[in-house]
Amino acid sequence: MSQIYNEEQLDSFFASSEPANPFWIGGAFQVTSGQEVIPFVFNGIRYLFILGTPLSEAGDETTLYALCAEFTDGFVPDENSRVIKFCRADAIEYHFDPKKWSLDEPKQIHQFGAVVSTIVERYVLGHPEVQQFFFSPASDKLGTLYQRLYRRLNNEGLAGKFLPILEPLGVFNGYQRSQA
């Protein structure tokens, strides 16, 4: 079971989804002081898009600074930034192992990316104070998906653009929203 929610909360995240609808995006739920989840359904399968502050993801300031020294060449994210990840909501044992819950139809990766892009776009519009987003892909394919996400957002007509703020180190990547 995930450490950020329990089974009862999981059910509440998806309470307003329609079981017959194979595609759905819910609202944001605050699960801890530094973590939010946005439930979504893609092709009838439940997923969670998770947004955490860097401090909540690290656990404490000492660990955050140590991680920044090791993985971001010392760059410290803004306190309003978010570390993003997603997982299959029902994959309890292999929650964050995408090899255990790949898409039923691999050719649908572009449609899946469009749904994830819509989630981030809605979040950005509702939270203008969040200017930086970070991710650490679990595989090369997920890294490509995240990079496509920001390219798609740049083409969606949002005010400003998402620009890379960290060299792709293969471990941790970041984008910042420009105001131009």
Side-chain angles (χ1 to χ4, degrees), residues 49-148:
F49 191 84
I50 303 167
L51 300 109
T53 64
L55 184 59
S56 71
E57 293 296 308
D60 60 52
E61 268 189 25
T62 303
T63 304
L64 175 63
Y65 289 119
L67 290 170
C68 289
E70 184 174 348
F71 295 115
T72 66
D73 202 23
F75 178 86
V76 178
D78 182 79
E79 67 182 43
N80 285 325
S81 64
R82 297 293 183 269
V83 177
I84 61 172
K85 52 191 166 188
F86 63 89
C87 62
R88 176 127 172 225
D90 304 317
I92 303 303
E93 188 175 351
Y94 301 105
H95 205 59
F96 289 106
D97 185 353
K99 291 179 279 190
K100 303 293 184 185
W101 48 264
S102 57
L103 294 175
D104 292 337
E105 294 290 328
K107 292 180 181 179
Q108 292 182 329
I109 191 65
H110 295 289
Q111 293 89 340
F112 185 84
V115 169
V116 172
S117 176
T118 299
I119 292 168
V120 174
E121 181 178 2
R122 287 180 185 178
Y123 190 83
V124 166
L125 292 173
H127 299 84
E129 73 281 6
V130 178
Q131 297 291 310
Q132 297 175 343
F133 291 87
F134 298 91
F135 61 90
S136 181
S139 70
D140 289 342
K141 288 182 181 181
L142 282 177
T144 300
L145 176 71
Y146 280 119
Q147 290 169 352
R148 279 190 197 134

Side-chain angles (χ1 to χ4, degrees), residues 120-121 123-125 130-133 149-155 158-165 174-180:
V120 174
E121 181 178 2
Y123 190 83
V124 166
L125 292 173
V130 178
Q131 297 291 310
Q132 297 175 343
F133 291 87
L149 161 78
Y150 289 101
R151 281 196 304 268
R152 182 184 305 262
L153 286 170
N154 285 341
N155 293 327
L158 286 173
K161 296 284 184 192
F162 285 95
L163 305 173
I165 53 176
Y175 283 82
Q176 181 162 324
R177 189 168 179 210
S178 72
Q179 299 302 312

